[in-house]
PDB file of all heavy atoms in Angstrom:
ATOM      1  N   ARG A 771     126.282  -9.554 144.458  1.00 91.00           N
ATOM      2  CA  ARG A 771     127.066  -8.546 145.173  1.00 91.00           C
ATOM      3  C   ARG A 771     126.311  -7.226 145.243  1.00 91.00           C
ATOM      4  O   ARG A 771     126.287  -6.560 146.275  1.00 91.00           O
ATOM      5  CB  ARG A 771     128.408  -8.355 144.483  1.00 91.00           C
ATOM      6  CG  ARG A 771     129.281  -7.346 145.204  1.00 91.00           C
ATOM      7  CD  ARG A 771     130.612  -7.198 144.558  1.00 91.00           C
ATOM      8  NE  ARG A 771     131.412  -8.388 144.863  1.00 91.00           N
ATOM      9  CZ  ARG A 771     132.641  -8.568 144.454  1.00 91.00           C
ATOM     10  NH1 ARG A 771     133.211  -7.656 143.694  1.00 91.00           N
ATOM     11  NH2 ARG A 771     133.314  -9.647 144.757  1.00 91.00           N
ATOM     12  N   VAL A 775     125.004  -5.286 148.703  1.00 94.00           N
ATOM     13  CA  VAL A 775     125.354  -3.894 149.009  1.00 94.00           C
ATOM     14  C   VAL A 775     124.077  -3.076 149.236  1.00 94.00           C
ATOM     15  O   VAL A 775     124.015  -2.252 150.158  1.00 94.00           O
ATOM     16  CB  VAL A 775     126.221  -3.283 147.888  1.00 94.00           C
ATOM     17  CG1 VAL A 775     126.363  -1.779 148.056  1.00 94.00           C
ATOM     18  CG2 VAL A 775     127.582  -3.945 147.854  1.00 94.00           C
ATOM     19  N   TRP A 791     114.438   8.263 165.572  1.00 93.00           N
ATOM     20  CA  TRP A 791     113.114   8.105 166.193  1.00 93.00           C
ATOM     21  C   TRP A 791     113.248   8.028 167.717  1.00 93.00           C
ATOM     22  O   TRP A 791     112.478   8.623 168.449  1.00 93.00           O
ATOM     23  CB  TRP A 791     112.436   6.841 165.672  1.00 93.00           C
ATOM     24  CG  TRP A 791     111.113   6.599 166.340  1.00 93.00           C
ATOM     25  CD1 TRP A 791     109.914   7.143 166.016  1.00 93.00           C
ATOM     26  CD2 TRP A 791     110.877   5.770 167.480  1.00 93.00           C
ATOM     27  NE1 TRP A 791     108.940   6.696 166.877  1.00 93.00           N
ATOM     28  CE2 TRP A 791     109.501   5.859 167.792  1.00 93.00           C
ATOM     29  CE3 TRP A 791     111.697   4.967 168.259  1.00 93.00           C
ATOM     30  CZ2 TRP A 791     108.946   5.169 168.853  1.00 93.00           C
ATOM     31  CZ3 TRP A 791     111.137   4.281 169.320  1.00 93.00           C
ATOM     32  CH2 TRP A 791     109.769   4.388 169.606  1.00 93.00           C
ATOM     33  N   ARG A 811     120.950  28.402 184.714  1.00 72.00           N
ATOM     34  CA  ARG A 811     122.007  28.061 185.652  1.00 72.00           C
ATOM     35  C   ARG A 811     122.566  29.352 186.238  1.00 72.00           C
ATOM     36  O   ARG A 811     122.789  30.317 185.516  1.00 72.00           O
ATOM     37  CB  ARG A 811     123.090  27.297 184.920  1.00 72.00           C
ATOM     38  CG  ARG A 811     124.248  26.930 185.745  1.00 72.00           C
ATOM     39  CD  ARG A 811     125.281  26.126 184.999  1.00 72.00           C
ATOM     40  NE  ARG A 811     125.168  26.273 183.566  1.00 72.00           N
ATOM     41  CZ  ARG A 811     125.907  25.619 182.708  1.00 72.00           C
ATOM     42  NH1 ARG A 811     126.807  24.771 183.120  1.00 72.00           N
ATOM     43  NH2 ARG A 811     125.765  25.796 181.417  1.00 72.00           N
ATOM     44  N   VAL A 813     125.549  31.365 187.688  1.00 80.00           N
ATOM     45  CA  VAL A 813     127.003  31.329 187.648  1.00 80.00           C
ATOM     46  C   VAL A 813     127.515  32.611 188.291  1.00 80.00           C
ATOM     47  O   VAL A 813     127.168  33.707 187.841  1.00 80.00           O
ATOM     48  CB  VAL A 813     127.515  31.234 186.196  1.00 80.00           C
ATOM     49  CG1 VAL A 813     129.024  31.248 186.153  1.00 80.00           C
ATOM     50  CG2 VAL A 813     126.964  29.998 185.521  1.00 80.00           C
ATOM     51  N   ALA A 817     134.031  40.234 189.708  1.00 72.00           N
ATOM     52  CA  ALA A 817     134.510  41.410 188.989  1.00 72.00           C
ATOM     53  C   ALA A 817     135.631  42.062 189.789  1.00 72.00           C
ATOM     54  O   ALA A 817     135.448  43.108 190.398  1.00 72.00           O
ATOM     55  CB  ALA A 817     133.366  42.380 188.761  1.00 72.00           C
ATOM     56  N   LEU A 835     132.480  46.546 196.514  1.00 61.00           N
ATOM     57  CA  LEU A 835     131.168  45.936 196.311  1.00 61.00           C
ATOM     58  C   LEU A 835     131.299  44.429 196.130  1.00 61.00           C
ATOM     59  O   LEU A 835     132.255  43.956 195.520  1.00 61.00           O
ATOM     60  CB  LEU A 835     130.496  46.521 195.061  1.00 61.00           C
ATOM     61  CG  LEU A 835     130.219  48.023 195.099  1.00 61.00           C
ATOM     62  CD1 LEU A 835     129.662  48.461 193.758  1.00 61.00           C
ATOM     63  CD2 LEU A 835     129.230  48.343 196.207  1.00 61.00           C
TER      64      LEU A 835
END
Side-chain angles (χ1 to χ4, degrees):
R771 182 178 286 181
V775 169
W791 177 83
R811 178 178 20 184
V813 178
L835 298 175

